[in-house]
Short mmCIF file of all heavy atoms in Angstrom, two decimals:
data_model
loop_
_atom_site.label_atom_id
_atom_site.label_comp_id
_atom_site.label_asym_id
_atom_site.label_seq_id
_atom_site.Cartn_x
_atom_site.Cartn_y
_atom_site.Cartn_z
N ILE A 614 -77.71 -41.19 129.33
CA ILE A 614 -78.27 -41.87 128.19
C ILE A 614 -79.00 -43.08 128.67
O ILE A 614 -78.37 -43.95 129.31
CB ILE A 614 -77.15 -42.29 127.16
CG1 ILE A 614 -76.53 -40.97 126.60
CG2 ILE A 614 -77.67 -43.15 126.09
CD1 ILE A 614 -75.39 -41.24 125.58
N ILE A 615 -80.31 -43.16 128.45
CA ILE A 615 -81.12 -44.38 128.87
C ILE A 615 -81.72 -44.94 127.59
O ILE A 615 -82.43 -44.20 126.86
CB ILE A 615 -82.20 -43.89 129.88
CG1 ILE A 615 -81.52 -43.23 131.08
CG2 ILE A 615 -83.02 -45.10 130.27
CD1 ILE A 615 -82.47 -42.71 132.17
N THR A 616 -81.50 -46.14 127.30
CA THR A 616 -81.95 -46.76 126.06
C THR A 616 -82.85 -48.00 126.31
O THR A 616 -82.80 -48.64 127.33
CB THR A 616 -80.73 -47.16 125.17
OG1 THR A 616 -79.92 -48.09 125.95
CG2 THR A 616 -79.92 -45.93 124.80
N PRO A 617 -83.66 -48.28 125.29
CA PRO A 617 -84.64 -49.41 125.32
C PRO A 617 -84.03 -50.70 124.77
O PRO A 617 -82.86 -50.66 124.27
CB PRO A 617 -85.78 -48.90 124.51
CG PRO A 617 -85.07 -48.16 123.41
CD PRO A 617 -83.84 -47.56 123.99
N TRP A 618 -84.78 -51.75 124.71
CA TRP A 618 -84.20 -53.02 124.25
C TRP A 618 -84.36 -53.28 122.79
O TRP A 618 -83.76 -54.20 122.25
CB TRP A 618 -84.86 -54.19 125.03
CG TRP A 618 -86.31 -54.19 125.08
CD1 TRP A 618 -87.15 -53.74 126.12
CD2 TRP A 618 -87.26 -54.61 124.07
NE1 TRP A 618 -88.51 -53.82 125.77
CE2 TRP A 618 -88.53 -54.35 124.53
CE3 TRP A 618 -87.11 -55.12 122.77
CZ2 TRP A 618 -89.72 -54.65 123.80
CZ3 TRP A 618 -88.22 -55.38 122.03
CH2 TRP A 618 -89.49 -55.16 122.55
N ASN A 619 -85.16 -52.48 122.10
CA ASN A 619 -85.52 -52.91 120.67
C ASN A 619 -84.47 -52.58 119.64
O ASN A 619 -84.50 -53.28 118.57
CB ASN A 619 -86.91 -52.35 120.33
CG ASN A 619 -86.89 -50.84 120.22
OD1 ASN A 619 -86.20 -50.15 120.92
ND2 ASN A 619 -87.74 -50.28 119.32
N LYS A 642 -76.92 -45.98 130.49
CA LYS A 642 -77.62 -47.10 131.14
C LYS A 642 -78.46 -47.77 129.99
O LYS A 642 -79.51 -47.29 129.61
CB LYS A 642 -78.49 -46.60 132.24
CG LYS A 642 -79.22 -47.72 132.92
CD LYS A 642 -80.75 -47.51 132.84
CE LYS A 642 -81.53 -48.68 133.27
NZ LYS A 642 -81.43 -49.84 132.33
N PRO A 643 -77.99 -48.92 129.50
CA PRO A 643 -78.78 -49.65 128.52
C PRO A 643 -79.97 -50.41 129.11
O PRO A 643 -80.01 -50.54 130.37
CB PRO A 643 -77.78 -50.61 127.89
CG PRO A 643 -76.76 -50.83 128.90
CD PRO A 643 -76.76 -49.66 129.87
N ALA A 644 -80.83 -51.00 128.34
CA ALA A 644 -81.95 -51.77 128.85
C ALA A 644 -81.41 -53.11 129.45
O ALA A 644 -80.50 -53.71 128.90
CB ALA A 644 -82.98 -52.08 127.70
N GLU A 645 -82.09 -53.55 130.48
CA GLU A 645 -81.68 -54.77 131.12
C GLU A 645 -81.68 -55.96 130.22
O GLU A 645 -80.86 -56.83 130.38
CB GLU A 645 -82.61 -55.09 132.31
CG GLU A 645 -82.71 -54.07 133.42
CD GLU A 645 -83.91 -53.16 133.28
OE1 GLU A 645 -83.95 -52.47 132.19
OE2 GLU A 645 -84.77 -53.10 134.16
N LEU A 646 -82.59 -56.02 129.30
CA LEU A 646 -82.76 -57.22 128.47
C LEU A 646 -81.62 -57.36 127.42
O LEU A 646 -81.37 -58.44 126.91
CB LEU A 646 -84.07 -57.13 127.64
CG LEU A 646 -85.35 -57.36 128.42
CD1 LEU A 646 -86.57 -57.29 127.51
CD2 LEU A 646 -85.35 -58.82 129.01
N GLY A 673 -77.97 -52.34 134.46
CA GLY A 673 -78.75 -52.61 135.64
C GLY A 673 -80.15 -52.22 135.50
O GLY A 673 -80.61 -51.93 134.36
N LYS A 674 -80.87 -52.21 136.61
CA LYS A 674 -82.34 -52.00 136.63
C LYS A 674 -82.69 -50.54 136.42
O LYS A 674 -82.01 -49.67 136.98
CB LYS A 674 -82.91 -52.48 137.94
CG LYS A 674 -83.04 -53.93 138.14
CD LYS A 674 -83.86 -54.13 139.41
CE LYS A 674 -84.07 -55.50 139.91
NZ LYS A 674 -83.90 -56.66 139.12
N GLY A 675 -83.79 -50.31 135.70
CA GLY A 675 -84.30 -48.96 135.50
C GLY A 675 -84.65 -48.36 136.86
O GLY A 675 -84.38 -47.14 137.13
N SER A 676 -85.23 -49.17 137.74
CA SER A 676 -85.71 -48.61 139.02
C SER A 676 -84.55 -48.24 139.94
O SER A 676 -84.72 -47.49 140.89
CB SER A 676 -86.60 -49.62 139.73
OG SER A 676 -85.84 -50.84 139.91
N ILE A 677 -83.38 -48.79 139.67
CA ILE A 677 -82.22 -48.44 140.57
C ILE A 677 -81.26 -47.48 139.78
O ILE A 677 -81.07 -46.35 140.15
CB ILE A 677 -81.43 -49.69 141.01
CG1 ILE A 677 -82.45 -50.58 141.77
CG2 ILE A 677 -80.21 -49.39 141.73
CD1 ILE A 677 -81.88 -51.94 142.16
N VAL A 678 -80.70 -48.05 138.72
CA VAL A 678 -79.68 -47.15 137.96
C VAL A 678 -80.37 -45.98 137.31
O VAL A 678 -79.91 -44.87 137.45
CB VAL A 678 -78.90 -48.06 136.92
CG1 VAL A 678 -77.93 -47.24 136.11
CG2 VAL A 678 -78.21 -49.26 137.56
N GLY A 679 -81.45 -46.27 136.62
CA GLY A 679 -82.16 -45.19 135.86
C GLY A 679 -82.70 -44.18 136.85
O GLY A 679 -82.46 -42.96 136.66
N GLN A 680 -83.31 -44.63 137.93
CA GLN A 680 -83.90 -43.69 138.87
C GLN A 680 -82.83 -42.83 139.54
O GLN A 680 -83.01 -41.63 139.77
CB GLN A 680 -84.72 -44.47 139.90
CG GLN A 680 -85.67 -43.61 140.79
CD GLN A 680 -86.62 -42.79 139.98
OE1 GLN A 680 -87.32 -43.33 139.04
NE2 GLN A 680 -86.79 -41.54 140.18
N THR A 681 -81.66 -43.44 139.82
CA THR A 681 -80.55 -42.64 140.45
C THR A 681 -80.13 -41.59 139.44
O THR A 681 -79.83 -40.43 139.91
CB THR A 681 -79.41 -43.53 140.80
OG1 THR A 681 -79.90 -44.62 141.63
CG2 THR A 681 -78.28 -42.84 141.56
N MET A 682 -80.07 -41.88 138.18
CA MET A 682 -79.76 -40.85 137.20
C MET A 682 -80.77 -39.68 137.25
O MET A 682 -80.44 -38.53 137.23
CB MET A 682 -79.60 -41.44 135.80
CG MET A 682 -78.48 -42.38 135.64
SD MET A 682 -78.55 -43.45 134.20
CE MET A 682 -78.23 -42.22 132.87
N LEU A 683 -82.03 -40.13 137.24
CA LEU A 683 -83.10 -39.13 137.25
C LEU A 683 -83.02 -38.19 138.47
O LEU A 683 -83.26 -36.96 138.37
CB LEU A 683 -84.45 -39.75 137.28
CG LEU A 683 -85.20 -39.98 135.92
CD1 LEU A 683 -84.28 -40.60 134.85
CD2 LEU A 683 -86.46 -40.90 136.04
N ILE A 691 -80.65 -35.46 129.77
CA ILE A 691 -80.91 -36.86 129.63
C ILE A 691 -81.61 -37.12 128.25
O ILE A 691 -82.55 -36.43 127.88
CB ILE A 691 -81.89 -37.41 130.73
CG1 ILE A 691 -81.17 -37.35 132.08
CG2 ILE A 691 -82.25 -38.88 130.43
CD1 ILE A 691 -81.96 -37.98 133.22
N PHE A 693 -83.45 -40.05 126.28
CA PHE A 693 -84.15 -41.25 126.69
C PHE A 693 -84.97 -41.77 125.49
O PHE A 693 -85.58 -41.02 124.79
CB PHE A 693 -85.09 -40.90 127.81
CG PHE A 693 -86.13 -42.01 128.12
CD1 PHE A 693 -85.84 -43.05 128.91
CD2 PHE A 693 -87.39 -41.91 127.58
CE1 PHE A 693 -86.76 -44.03 129.18
CE2 PHE A 693 -88.35 -42.94 127.78
CZ PHE A 693 -88.02 -43.95 128.58
N THR A 694 -84.93 -43.06 125.29
CA THR A 694 -85.86 -43.75 124.39
C THR A 694 -86.51 -44.87 125.20
O THR A 694 -85.79 -45.70 125.78
CB THR A 694 -85.21 -44.28 123.14
OG1 THR A 694 -84.58 -43.19 122.45
CG2 THR A 694 -86.19 -44.89 122.16
N GLY A 695 -87.81 -44.94 125.20
CA GLY A 695 -88.46 -46.01 125.94
C GLY A 695 -89.96 -45.71 126.01
O GLY A 695 -90.54 -45.14 125.05
N SER A 696 -90.53 -46.15 127.08
CA SER A 696 -92.06 -46.11 127.16
C SER A 696 -92.51 -44.72 127.56
O SER A 696 -91.72 -43.90 128.07
CB SER A 696 -92.51 -47.09 128.18
OG SER A 696 -92.06 -46.72 129.49
N VAL A 697 -93.76 -44.44 127.31
CA VAL A 697 -94.39 -43.10 127.59
C VAL A 697 -94.27 -42.91 129.13
O VAL A 697 -93.95 -41.77 129.61
CB VAL A 697 -95.83 -43.08 127.13
CG1 VAL A 697 -96.52 -41.79 127.60
CG2 VAL A 697 -95.90 -43.20 125.62
N GLY A 698 -94.54 -43.97 129.89
CA GLY A 698 -94.62 -43.79 131.34
C GLY A 698 -93.27 -43.42 131.91
O GLY A 698 -93.11 -42.46 132.69
N THR A 699 -92.17 -44.07 131.50
CA THR A 699 -90.87 -43.76 132.02
C THR A 699 -90.44 -42.36 131.44
O THR A 699 -89.83 -41.62 132.17
CB THR A 699 -89.80 -44.84 131.64
OG1 THR A 699 -90.32 -46.09 132.03
CG2 THR A 699 -88.50 -44.64 132.27
N GLY A 700 -90.80 -42.07 130.23
CA GLY A 700 -90.49 -40.79 129.59
C GLY A 700 -91.05 -39.63 130.46
O GLY A 700 -90.41 -38.65 130.68
N ARG A 702 -91.60 -39.80 133.66
CA ARG A 702 -90.74 -39.60 134.88
C ARG A 702 -89.49 -38.84 134.61
O ARG A 702 -89.04 -38.08 135.44
CB ARG A 702 -90.37 -41.02 135.39
CG ARG A 702 -91.51 -41.84 135.78
CD ARG A 702 -91.03 -43.26 136.08
NE ARG A 702 -90.48 -43.35 137.42
CZ ARG A 702 -91.11 -44.10 138.37
NH1 ARG A 702 -92.17 -44.72 138.17
NH2 ARG A 702 -90.53 -44.13 139.57
N VAL A 703 -88.90 -39.14 133.39
CA VAL A 703 -87.70 -38.39 133.04
C VAL A 703 -88.02 -36.94 132.97
O VAL A 703 -87.27 -36.07 133.51
CB VAL A 703 -87.09 -38.88 131.68
CG1 VAL A 703 -85.90 -38.10 131.26
CG2 VAL A 703 -86.71 -40.39 131.78
N ARG A 797 -92.76 -61.15 129.20
CA ARG A 797 -93.62 -60.06 129.57
C ARG A 797 -94.25 -59.41 128.36
O ARG A 797 -95.41 -59.14 128.25
CB ARG A 797 -92.82 -59.02 130.42
CG ARG A 797 -93.67 -58.04 131.13
CD ARG A 797 -92.81 -57.06 131.93
NE ARG A 797 -92.03 -56.25 131.02
CZ ARG A 797 -91.86 -54.91 131.21
NH1 ARG A 797 -92.33 -54.31 132.22
NH2 ARG A 797 -91.10 -54.26 130.28
N GLN A 798 -93.32 -59.15 127.33
CA GLN A 798 -93.86 -58.54 126.03
C GLN A 798 -94.80 -59.47 125.37
O GLN A 798 -95.82 -59.08 124.80
CB GLN A 798 -92.66 -58.19 125.19
CG GLN A 798 -93.11 -57.46 123.92
CD GLN A 798 -93.83 -56.15 124.12
OE1 GLN A 798 -93.33 -55.28 124.86
NE2 GLN A 798 -94.98 -55.96 123.55
N GLU A 850 -100.26 -48.46 122.07
CA GLU A 850 -99.10 -49.12 121.47
C GLU A 850 -99.01 -50.57 122.01
O GLU A 850 -98.93 -50.75 123.21
CB GLU A 850 -97.82 -48.38 121.76
CG GLU A 850 -96.66 -48.91 120.96
CD GLU A 850 -95.41 -48.13 121.17
OE1 GLU A 850 -95.02 -47.82 122.37
OE2 GLU A 850 -94.74 -47.85 120.18
N PHE A 852 -96.64 -52.98 120.54
CA PHE A 852 -95.18 -53.26 120.37
C PHE A 852 -94.90 -54.72 120.09
O PHE A 852 -93.97 -55.35 120.61
CB PHE A 852 -94.41 -52.81 121.63
CG PHE A 852 -93.11 -52.10 121.24
CD1 PHE A 852 -93.10 -50.96 120.52
CD2 PHE A 852 -91.85 -52.64 121.60
CE1 PHE A 852 -91.91 -50.37 120.19
CE2 PHE A 852 -90.67 -52.06 121.28
CZ PHE A 852 -90.72 -50.88 120.55
P1 ADP B 1430 -89.95 -50.81 128.02
O1 ADP B 1430 -91.30 -51.06 128.61
O2 ADP B 1430 -89.89 -50.79 126.56
O3 ADP B 1430 -88.89 -51.67 128.66
P2 ADP B 1430 -89.09 -48.64 129.69
O4 ADP B 1430 -89.50 -47.23 129.59
O5 ADP B 1430 -89.50 -49.40 130.89
O6 ADP B 1430 -89.64 -49.25 128.37
O7 ADP B 1430 -87.55 -48.84 129.55
C1 ADP B 1430 -86.72 -47.99 128.76
C2 ADP B 1430 -85.38 -47.69 129.54
O8 ADP B 1430 -85.80 -46.93 130.72
C3 ADP B 1430 -84.73 -48.97 130.11
O9 ADP B 1430 -83.34 -48.78 129.99
C4 ADP B 1430 -85.25 -49.07 131.47
O10 ADP B 1430 -84.31 -49.72 132.34
C5 ADP B 1430 -85.25 -47.56 131.86
N1 ADP B 1430 -86.12 -47.33 133.00
C6 ADP B 1430 -87.20 -47.96 133.52
N2 ADP B 1430 -87.63 -47.46 134.61
C7 ADP B 1430 -86.94 -46.33 134.89
C8 ADP B 1430 -86.95 -45.30 135.89
N3 ADP B 1430 -87.77 -45.29 136.86
N4 ADP B 1430 -86.00 -44.34 135.77
C9 ADP B 1430 -85.08 -44.29 134.77
N5 ADP B 1430 -85.06 -45.23 133.85
C10 ADP B 1430 -85.94 -46.25 133.85
#
Side-chain angles (χ1 to χ4, degrees):
I614 295 180
I615 302 178
T616 57
W618 49 260
N619 64 330
K642 184 238 166 294
E645 298 96 300
L646 286 178
K674 284 192 185 341
S676 57
I677 298 173
V678 178
Q680 193 60 46
T681 306
M682 290 167 73
L683 266 47
I691 294 186
F693 166 85
T694 302
S696 64
V697 174
T699 310
R702 297 171 83 110
V703 176
R797 195 178 68 139
Q798 183 61 51
E850 187 176 46
F852 223 62

